[in-house]
Amino acid sequence: MPLLNPASPQRFAPSALTRTLAWLRLCAITGQSSAVLFAALWMRMEIPVLPLLVVIGLYAIFAAFASFRLTMPWRVREWETIGHIAADTLVLSALLYLTGGATNPFVTLLLIPIALGAAALTIPALLTVAALTCLAYVFLLRHYLPLPPMMEGRAGFELHVLGMAVNFAITAMLLGFFVNRLATAVRLQQDEVQRVRERALRDEGILAIATQAAGAAHELNTPLATMRMLLPELRREHATDQPLAEDLELLEEQVERCRGILREMVAFGKAQLSQEEEQMDVGSFVHGCLERFQLLRPEAELELDMADTVAGAALSSPPGLRHALINLLNNAADASAMRESNRVALRVSRDRGWLELDVTDHGPGFLPDEPGYALGYSGKQGGLGIGLTLAEATADRLSGELTAENTEDGARVRMRLPLASVSPAPSRHEGARRAPQPSK
């Protein structure tokens, strides 16, 4: 699987810049219209009001088209972003041409596209934008309609300085807000790329473990079948030796347990490949998991806390969810056994839009000094160390989360799943095959 490089966010940046320009256009249209009307009606300046309003009106049409374009599913490419900046520069140049050109105190607004592009575009694209603005500025140095006579003399100079102050405030506000907006968008995209990369690395490790497990299951099937065939004969040959017969009976039970685990692995693998989701209610799902867990750990003393309203909720169970819950219960039983306890508790609840599965043990708790504490590393001996990792991967695929914390006499692992990802769709639920109810 090719991994994205978190150090190169440019492929995402043009989209963020284009959306920022769309917001900036709305501000510009409002400010430009207000400035034209203020100068013409309040200050009584002799400026070409009609041409200015026509340019602003055309700019508004372009802004509406650009905003509609952003709602389309097509990816925004860098050349398209440059086209939007060129249109913005052309409109601003037209407005400046009609109001004094380079002598207008607002001419420095031409720098804003360069400042925004520097935070999002590649160097060739940024050079293109800089060249466009420089050409516009050079053109406005020689070609423009002069400002009205009231801008001449000392009063005109003071008015020019006032315009520069307003321009400085506008530029500072726009650059501060929109550059921060761009930087935040790029930072979020970098974080998402990093999460995708970490998820891909983790899934690659899980796939390697699954491959090894499939090979081991295939190889173990033959010796288990041999032991299953020989153990009854040994029991018949030593029927008079009661202690040995009891040991052989225990061995036979363990062999059957191993065969059941292998069958469960094969069934789980087939379900994962088919990607079929079981349609049932939460109560049926939980009781099915508990029955399977009790077969694996008959010595466990399980406490279930689940309200009737939660038990009756519809559930669309993906293949990995059942295995993840059994893993959590099995880990809890192992942790409790470290303190010579068999008690394990499961609490199923619903918190607003979340389904919560809390598994509590009475073991020594998690070790905060270990690097894997955030994933619930308990430091127990004899485990493979992948149960919680697999459960976390399942929760992550369902847009949920897995958290671990210590309690007064043990530890608690909580799997939170959004109901939107585990609730069946109405149309799919009607024709879906309901899973068989667990036997009582």
Side-chain angles (χ1 to χ4, degrees), residues 267-328:
F268 175 70
K270 290 181 179 179
Q272 285 281 53
L273 290 175
S274 65
Q275 292 296 316
E276 291 184 3
E277 297 183 350
E278 297 178 289
Q279 309 296 328
M280 62 183 71
D281 54 56
V282 174
S284 300
F285 168 77
V286 171
H287 286 296
C289 293
L290 297 187
E291 285 189 2
R292 176 60 185 162
F293 171 68
Q294 292 284 194
L295 289 176
L296 295 174
R297 306 295 293 265
E299 76 280 3
E301 300 175 4
L302 187 62
E303 302 174 9
L304 175 62
D305 179 10
M306 179 171 58
D308 293 338
T309 55
V310 178
L315 177 70
S316 179
S317 171
L321 184 57
R322 184 187 302 273
H323 197 68
L325 180 56
I326 294 175
N327 269 340
L328 295 181

Side-chain angles (χ1 to χ4, degrees), residues 349-397:
S349 60
R350 184 166 55 186
D351 180 20
R352 298 178 184 175
W354 295 83
L355 177 66
E356 296 184 347
L357 304 170
D358 292 353
V359 179
T360 306
D361 62 60
H362 296 274
F366 299 118
L367 307 178
D369 295 334
E370 296 291 341
Y373 173 67
L375 297 179
Y377 178 81
S378 60
K380 69 179 182 182
Q381 303 297 323
L384 298 178
I386 61 174
L388 286 172
T389 302
L390 294 174
E392 187 195 24
T394 300
D396 187 62
R397 281 196 298 270

Side-chain angles (χ1 to χ4, degrees), residues 181-226:
R181 182 185 177 90
L182 273 176
T184 301
V186 172
R187 185 166 56 250
L188 291 176
Q189 290 161 352
Q190 285 181 310
D191 293 342
E192 180 62 26
V193 171
Q194 183 65 22
R195 283 194 294 270
V196 170
R197 182 178 183 275
E198 293 174 355
R199 189 181 302 120
L201 291 174
R202 184 195 60 202
D203 291 345
E204 184 178 345
I206 293 174
L207 179 61
I209 294 172
T211 304
Q212 294 294 328
H218 180 73
E219 294 177 5
L220 286 173
N221 189 53
T222 299
L224 286 175
T226 303

Side-chain angles (χ1 to χ4, degrees), residues 73-402:
W74 313 315
R75 177 183 168 188
V76 177
R77 301 194 178 269
E78 197 169 56
W79 62 265
E80 185 178 352
T81 303
I82 296 176
H84 285 215
I85 293 177
D88 295 332
T89 303
L90 179 62
V91 170
L92 182 58
S93 300
L95 294 177
L96 291 172
Y97 170 81
L98 296 172
T99 55
T103 64
N104 192 312
F106 291 94
V107 71
T108 54
L109 290 177
L110 288 170
L111 293 174
I112 290 182
I114 301 177
L116 295 179
L121 299 177
T122 59
I123 291 180
L126 180 61
L127 292 177
T128 302
V129 171
L132 289 174
T133 54
C134 288
L135 287 175
Y137 189 85
V138 170
F139 175 82
L140 293 173
L141 282 174
R142 301 180 62 87
H143 305 281
Y144 59 89
L145 296 181
L147 289 170
M150 67 176 298
M151 296 294 296
E152 299 176 358
R154 180 175 180 82
F157 178 75
E158 292 178 354
L159 190 59
H160 184 86
V161 171
L162 178 61
M164 292 176 61
V166 174
N167 178 42
F168 179 84
I170 294 175
T171 304
M173 181 181 63
L174 291 178
L175 289 180
F177 178 77
F178 287 104
V179 170
N180 178 265
R181 182 185 177 90
L182 273 176
T184 301
V186 172
R187 185 166 56 250
L188 291 176
Q189 290 161 352
Q190 285 181 310
D191 293 342
E192 180 62 26
V193 171
Q194 183 65 22
R195 283 194 294 270
V196 170
R197 182 178 183 275
E198 293 174 355
R199 189 181 302 120
L201 291 174
R202 184 195 60 202
D203 291 345
E204 184 178 345
I206 293 174
L207 179 61
I209 294 172
T211 304
Q212 294 294 328
H218 180 73
E219 294 177 5
L220 286 173
N221 189 53
T222 299
L224 286 175
T226 303
M227 287 187 287
R228 185 170 179 266
M229 181 179 60
L230 293 178
L231 284 172
E233 296 181 4
L234 291 174
R235 287 179 60 190
R236 285 193 298 270
E237 292 178 2
H238 302 84
T240 57
D241 190 344
Q242 187 63 27
L244 180 58
E246 292 178 356
D247 291 342
L248 292 174
E249 183 180 1
L250 177 61
L251 285 175
E252 193 173 356
E253 292 176 356
Q254 294 301 313
V255 169
E256 288 297 330
R257 179 178 174 184
C258 290
R259 284 172 56 84
I261 293 174
L262 290 180
R263 286 194 296 267
E264 178 74 15
M265 289 174 59
V266 173
F268 175 70
K270 290 181 179 179
Q272 285 281 53
L273 290 175
S274 65
Q275 292 296 316
E276 291 184 3
E277 297 183 350
E278 297 178 289
Q279 309 296 328
M280 62 183 71
D281 54 56
V282 174
S284 300
F285 168 77
V286 171
H287 286 296
C289 293
L290 297 187
E291 285 189 2
R292 176 60 185 162
F293 171 68
Q294 292 284 194
L295 289 176
L296 295 174
R297 306 295 293 265
E299 76 280 3
E301 300 175 4
L302 187 62
E303 302 174 9
L304 175 62
D305 179 10
M306 179 171 58
D308 293 338
T309 55
V310 178
L315 177 70
S316 179
S317 171
L321 184 57
R322 184 187 302 273
H323 197 68
L325 180 56
I326 294 175
N327 269 340
L328 295 181
L329 293 170
N330 195 48
N331 283 353
D334 290 339
S336 295
M338 296 174 66
R339 283 189 173 177
E340 300 181 354
S341 173
N342 294 325
R343 296 172 57 196
V344 175
L346 172 63
R347 181 175 181 269
V348 184
S349 60
R350 184 166 55 186
D351 180 20
R352 298 178 184 175
W354 295 83
L355 177 66
E356 296 184 347
L357 304 170
D358 292 353
V359 179
T360 306
D361 62 60
H362 296 274
F366 299 118
L367 307 178
D369 295 334
E370 296 291 341
Y373 173 67
L375 297 179
Y377 178 81
S378 60
K380 69 179 182 182
Q381 303 297 323
L384 298 178
I386 61 174
L388 286 172
T389 302
L390 294 174
E392 187 195 24
T394 300
D396 187 62
R397 281 196 298 270
L398 297 174
S399 302
E401 60 184 7
L402 191 74

